[in-house]
Amino acid sequence: MSLFLLFLSAFGAATLLPLQSEAVLLGLLVQGEQSEVLLIAVASLGNILGSCVNWYLGLKIEHYKNKKWFPVSADKMLKAQKTYQKYGYWSLLLSWVPIIGDPITLIAGLLKENLVRFLLMVSIAKIGRYLFVYAAFAMF
């Protein structure tokens, strides 16, 4: 059950939901009941798949941008697109960063970033983040 909760928290944290999977991971590391490798793998998989949801939503979001209820103004969408185009897929290495990471993955979908390249860059970022959390935990 704890692995499932870790997966859900990591998945949700990668979407636009305000969740913190690092706290769940640290709690499970402190308990010491599961392999560290398994915990990092589950958290990483959940987080990467959550980012894939954002990418997919980005692919489909353009159909709704002219609706009154659409939460992002056309100016902000254009600014985000220009920023992504300026830095390209390398900006996906920041997909782990709170607040800016989730929108980057959404914009990548909007700009039809290649899924394989998206997965590679996001995987590096997300796995790297959880390895850093583990390394910080292991130091204490």
Side-chain angles (χ1 to χ4, degrees):
M1 181 56 123
S2 59
L3 290 176
F4 181 67
L5 292 175
L6 176 60
F7 178 87
L8 283 181
S9 71
F11 182 91
T15 64
L16 300 176
L17 298 173
L19 298 174
Q20 292 297 317
S21 59
E22 293 87 352
V24 177
L25 175 61
L26 283 172
L28 293 173
L29 287 169
V30 168
Q31 285 180 352
E33 295 176 5
Q34 279 106 5
S35 157
E36 293 90 351
V37 173
L38 179 61
L39 292 173
I40 292 167
V42 168
S44 298
L45 179 63
N47 217 239
I48 292 164
L49 290 176
S51 291
C52 288
V53 168
N54 290 345
W55 178 84
Y56 180 76
L57 290 173
L59 282 177
K60 303 300 177 186
I61 203 169
E62 204 162 17
H63 301 290
Y64 302 104
K65 69 180 180 183
N66 295 323
K67 304 285 184 183
K68 286 183 180 181
W69 53 263
F70 193 72
V72 181
S73 70
D75 290 341
K76 286 185 180 179
M77 287 283 284
L78 187 59
K79 183 180 176 184
Q81 288 174 340
K82 285 182 179 181
T83 301
Y84 187 86
Q85 287 171 333
K86 180 179 179 182
Y87 298 105
Y89 64 88
W90 293 105
S91 63
L92 290 168
L93 291 174
L94 298 175
S95 62
W96 67 271
V97 177
I99 300 172
I100 66 166
D102 301 338
I104 289 171
T105 59
L106 188 97
I107 295 299
L110 177 67
L111 296 177
K112 296 170 182 47
E113 181 64 62
N114 175 280
L115 180 59
V116 173
R117 187 166 44 201
F118 174 86
L119 282 170
L120 175 65
M121 300 306 281
V122 168
S123 295
I124 291 168
K126 303 296 186 150
I127 294 168
R129 182 240 328 258
Y130 289 120
L131 287 172
F132 178 81
V133 169
Y134 172 70
F137 166 77
M139 287 176 39
F140 298 102

